[in-house]
Amino acid sequence: MYIFDYKNKYFKDPFPLWIRIALLVCACSYVFEGLLRWLLSLIGMGFLIYIRDPLVIIMIMRPVLRFLTGCKVNANGILLWIYFGFLFFYSVFTESIIQVLFAVKILLLFILGVAYSRDFTECAIHWRRVFYIVSFLIFVGLVVDSTLGFPWRNMVINVGGHEKAIGKTAQVLGERMRHHGFSLAPNPAASYSIIFYLLYSCSYAKWSFAKLLLLIMTFIAIWLTGIRSILLALIIISLCDIFRFLPYVWEKIIVCATTIFVALGVGLPFILSFGSVSYSGYIKNLLNSPFASFAIRIMDTWPHAFASNKSYLLGGGLGAVGGSQIMFDPWSHLGGGFCDNWAVYAFLIGGVIPIILFSVVLVQAARVKCTESYLIPTLSVFIAIYGSMETGFELPGSSFFLGILLGYVCMRSMQSKR
């Protein structure tokens, strides 16, 4: 009767074959998006790249149907979906419906991560070969891009009815050129590189030659993208892993590192932005240093983002910032409605509540014992570091794993050993 219930014989495996295929198709469409868009455009079928969206929706509907057909769920999960529903309906009153729906589309991977948090972390260990191969391909793509280049470097694509040029990111105040390999931009290339390295390395408790080789390739790959926040995350995670053979020490380092960067990620934009007038001279001096992009955030990006905020308690709703705003409210976006920090993004969408929620989630995820999972605490460090300097929510890879962390912390048994 309950064909969507885990107890049914057809659902003993939390990831049936069709789910595995759908996940693989979606992962490839994001990791190798530049390559796939170019190949599909050659045959006039560029629209096929968007098959990933209905696939993600179908995968999200599976646990929803299990709930509707009587499957027992964690009470925290119900509260989480109630909050998502409230945020959606609140957003409809603050933004146009098309803008809100596009924002939901952007966050589909985040919702998928929440829906499959426990299932994914339990099954990921069986896919380690896939993770290694994908990591190697990302590395190859970035190396080739840095030497020979790719034909899709200056390709123009249609996104939501708008023409958008893809290629190498413009240099910031004389920075070296950033490469993107098979991806559309440097940020996705760097984030996917470190994510697949983490997925592989966290499936082993000890170091090995294969893992060391992958670490070196990942370091080179991220260096070629020029994304400093992810490079910093990789260095700190590698230093933490030196103490992997001492679980107690490793866990303490992970918790401390995550807590520090969560505090910085939340505090820096608010403290530095509102006080930037007092020490504007010091900030301007950074414009001629490797921290130029950070200075621009303090002087321009974050203050303008706060100025566009509609409510300190509830924020502006889905679509109030980011890609959805670029598409449907470009003038507001040019006026400052943008951000480069997860806390600012969460604040502009939902006010103070999501900042508190995700801060608690990241710190709690870092406290998960290595006997339960290596992946969850390690991902918390990565997202805390990366999110202090980048949005995170709108990048499919980091968005998916942020959802994984949220779902894992909210759904795990209260009796689990900490």
Side-chain angles (χ1 to χ4, degrees), residues 300-320:
D300 185 65
T301 305
W302 291 336
H304 282 153
F306 290 128
S308 68
N309 182 45
K310 297 179 181 178
S311 168
Y312 285 95
L313 179 62
L314 299 175
L318 296 169

Side-chain angles (χ1 to χ4, degrees), residues 13 21 34 37 41 45 78 84 141 164 197 199 209 221 241 255 344 390:
D13 182 357
I21 294 174
R37 281 187 181 275
S41 67
M45 303 183 71
I78 298 176
F84 285 167
K164 180 180 179 181
Y197 166 75
L199 288 170
F209 175 76
D241 282 348
V255 172
V344 177
E390 302 291 343

Side-chain angles (χ1 to χ4, degrees), residues 200-212 241 244-245 374:
Y200 178 82
S201 65
C202 288
S203 64
Y204 291 97
K206 298 180 180 179
W207 282 89
S208 64
F209 175 76
K211 179 180 174 180
L212 180 60
D241 282 348
R244 184 78 73 85
F245 70 100
Y374 279 110

